Amino acid sequence: MKLDPTPDDPDVQAVLYGPVVLAGAYGNRPSMTMPRLVKDSVRQQSGATLKFTATASGETVTLLPVARVHHQNYNVYWLTGEPPTPPPAFAAWHRFDETRGTSAADATGKTATLTRGASWRASTWHGPGSSMSGRA
């Protein structure tokens, strides 16, 4: 058994047993995002040459040759890298919908200030905006 990465993302991999691609059999479960496979959880079921189990996204899934998975939802590619770190805590949200002046305030009262000659201008497609001269 080996994991074979896709050419464009080494953290997205297929599970192979020799030349046979194994698919996660999900039955009639609705469509989902790409599951995260626990790489060292893949186990061959005793007495079954081409039947495996694994843990993916916190649940047990049966792996079968893709050619044997019919009339059900299945998955061939798995996320195998570390999950991404969560984004930082909310810092500020500036709508920049002011129509004059040089500062914009967010919902918490924090302000951002336009500098170096930037100014508010009327937009022709989404409401007010800012105008930047491009000078440093």
Side-chain angles (χ1 to χ4, degrees):
M1 196 276 312
K2 73 172 191 169
L3 296 170
D4 189 32
T6 59
D8 64 332
D9 187 347
D11 287 336
V12 175
Q13 300 184 1
V15 180
L16 282 75
Y17 184 72
V20 178
V21 176
L22 301 175
Y26 282 95
N28 58 5
R29 289 185 222 169
S31 192
M32 62 184 154
T33 59
M34 189 180 306
R36 185 167 299 281
L37 179 72
V38 178
K39 294 188 281 190
D40 61 358
S41 72
V42 180
R43 302 275 186 267
Q44 189 170 13
Q45 290 187 352
S46 62
T49 306
L50 291 173
K51 191 172 187 180
F52 296 78
T53 58
T55 301
S57 296
E59 58 184 277
T60 301
V61 62
T62 300
L63 302 176
L64 300 168
V66 69
R68 291 189 186 167
V69 180
H70 302 284
H71 309 292
Q72 64 176 304
N73 293 318
Y74 65 92
N75 190 74
V76 174
Y77 292 105
W78 311 88
L79 293 171
T80 58
E82 291 298 316
T85 56
F90 178 72
W93 175 45
H94 297 280
R95 292 179 55 184
F96 295 112
D97 62 352
E98 287 79 358
T99 57
R100 63 177 189 253
T102 58
S103 63
D106 73 2
T108 67
K110 295 178 183 175
T111 60
T113 303
L114 297 173
T115 61
R116 299 181 187 219
S119 61
W120 299 113
R121 64 170 174 77
S123 171
T124 57
W125 54 284
H126 275 281
S130 61
S131 177
M132 311 292 175
S133 68
R135 292 174 290 180

